[in-house]
Amino acid sequence: MEWLNAVVQGTLLGGLYALFAAGLSLIFGIMRLVNIAHGDLIVLGAYLGLVVTTSTGLHPLLALAFVVPAMALIGYALQRGLLNQTLGDDLLPPLLVTFGLSVILQNGLLEVFTADPQKISAGALETASISAGGLSLGILPVLTFAIAIAVIWGLQWTFYHTALGRAFRAVSDNQDIAQLMGLNRRHIFGLAMALALGVTAIAGVLLGIRTSFDPSIGSGRLIFGFEAVIIGGLGNLWGTLVGGVILGVAQTIGAKFDPGWQILAGHVAFLVILAIRPNGLFPRVSA
Amino acid sequence: MTSLLTLDGLCKAYGAVKVADELSYDVTTGDALGVIGPNGAGKTSMFNLITGTVSPDSGTVTFAGQNVTGWSAAKRSHFGIARSFQVPQPFSNMTVFENAMVAATQSAGLYGREAEALCLDVLEKTELLSKANTPAGGLTLLGRKRLELTRALCAKPKLLLLDEIAGGLTEGECQSLVQTIKDIHASGVTIIWIEHVVHALLAVVDRLIVIDFGRKIAEGEPKAIMESPEVKEIYLGIEADA
Ligand SMILES: Nc1ncnc2c1ncn2[C@@H]1O[C@H](COP(=O)(O)OP(=O)(O)OP(=O)(O)O)[C@@H](O)[C@H]1O
Ligand SMILES: [Mg+2]
């Protein structure tokens, strides 16, 4: 039973990791941009959630109605104002620029919010649980997992059933031809980053309710996000969810052996899968 | 009849290679203009200059009364210029229908049902309707060429640029494609067609220009141009190459 519990808790945790990863996957899939600042943007989302809840007294889930559009706007502006200029045949400039952005974000947050750990308070939601089949499931982890499924379903639907989604796929397939079909690449990339940071906002707020955070934790979230994307296979969002779940389960099982092994077990699972299937479990983009 | 496209003194060089050299001509609405010239003469480059993927060193492109020389390719496409590529370049991870929809929704700016209706209509004309749901990457050469044409038509162009669309096809395939293009022209679309397969070209165009080293060396009635000595000389060169 204890083991089953670990697997179930890990699976639910995987939903959060999938939310960390979805934005990364989207951005890489559409514009081949590896966003090193992604983890810090998650943390920024958490701080925005904190500011909105403490200043308005709104429940954090309602605060998402402000945090998501705010992050989306930041994403659009960031892409058009900065990141578009770094894109080209060379992969290095966007890596360096997003690394710089990561440092700036961390220090900016440190300046404004100090290094004190913070937490978004969500009242009863934090501790509420239901029991099912002898297991006690926290409402928050269950809700997080459900949101992850809904977000990934929504992204998939957007990709395959809307004009915007076709535009994303066309630009990702062949930028030059897409321009000739009337697509403004810079604008499309801006919209993609807006969408990615909208998802990141959700991830950040859920993270902030779940655990305490401070400006320095971004890089850890970035790694979890990367691992989930790569385990699942590039370009496959459902694969990313599976990747998140594998990572989550490995961590909770690792923690069962020894609490100190939690993070390590996740990385080991990642390395093992990478060794067996270098392109991830369900690759869609051929390398 | 008004002038739809005017090139005036276009020049473009890559290092020492001149791909456009004082290139000037005029295309009237409803025209079908043929373009011939040896390999590397600058024909495809001329299309790049017209569509805006490459900007000229000097000279102007005027389209539908507007100087579009400084415009982006995307803006020109909204304004009614569409092209097909010599080497077909479909969005290969998308279906044939989705390829068409990108042009219909983005370039022609249509929405929902209207866009879908246009795509279905064009796919029928270009005989790709039965392949609508196959991934574009899996099409045969003829299929890819037809998809090039489909996408260009779904952009609802005023001006259609065709780059060697008949090249590499069998005689039968070529003839059915020629018929499709004739129908498109008859429906009122202005066409500029670059082609090495001369008999296909002559079945459609009513004027011909010859380009060599980026310069326009002859222009006029197709039969007369093909008979002229300098064209014969260049043309025999091409036939020998091919
Ligand atoms: N981006 C570029 N950079 C450098 N040289 C180029 C570039 N594009 C074209 N060229 C050169 O310009 C010349 C003209 O090329 P272009 O493709 O316009 O010829 P073309 O008339 O279409 O030939 P073909 O009949 O073989 O298609 C060629 O020598 C080509 O190598
Ligand atoms: Mg060419």
Side-chain angles (χ1 to χ4, degrees), chain A residues 33 35 37 74-87 93-94 96-102 104 186 193:
Chain A
L33 172 83
N35 184 3
I74 292 172
Y76 188 85
L78 185 66
Q79 188 66 39
R80 300 249 9 199
L82 178 67
L83 298 177
N84 272 340
Q85 275 71 305
T86 68
L87 294 176
L96 291 176
V97 168
T98 55
F99 178 70
L101 188 65
S102 158
I104 292 170
R186 299 178 167 277
M193 189 55 93

Side-chain angles (χ1 to χ4, degrees), chain B residues 4-148:
Chain B
L4 182 63
L5 177 79
T6 307
L7 306 190
D8 187 15
L10 275 189
C11 294
K12 177 74 192 178
Y14 293 108
V17 183
K18 286 185 178 169
V19 292
D21 189 0
E22 290 295 333
L23 191 60
S24 304
Y25 62 82
D26 203 79
V27 182
T28 301
T29 304
D31 265 4
L33 173 69
V35 179
I36 61 170
N39 292 110
K43 305 180 296 299
T44 298
S45 300
M46 176 184 86
F47 275 5
N48 292 341
L49 290 165
I50 297 173
T51 53
T53 45
V54 166
S55 35
D57 299 334
S58 62
T60 59
V61 179
T62 307
F63 179 69
Q66 302 255 9
N67 182 344
V68 300
T69 317
W71 290 21
S72 71
K75 196 169 171 195
R76 293 186 204 195
S77 133
H78 291 303
F79 209 54
I81 301 178
R83 74 173 287 182
S84 76
F85 280 85
Q86 187 169 350
V87 179
Q89 308 205 26
F91 300 121
S92 40
N93 295 319
M94 299 168 75
T95 67
V96 167
F97 184 70
E98 287 175 326
N99 267 267
M101 280 294 278
V102 172
T105 52
Q106 303 298 334
S107 198
L110 298 177
Y111 293 96
R113 294 258 173 275
E114 214 184 333
E116 287 170 15
L118 172 68
C119 291
L120 292 177
D121 191 43
V122 171
L123 284 167
E124 178 153 24
K125 262 191 217 149
T126 56
E127 297 173 26
L128 273 182
L129 202 51
S130 62
K131 301 266 168 30
N133 290 322
T134 38
L139 291 175
T140 61
L141 179 64
L142 177 63
R144 284 161 180 252
K145 297 229 160 186
R146 288 187 175 279
L147 181 55
E148 285 289 319

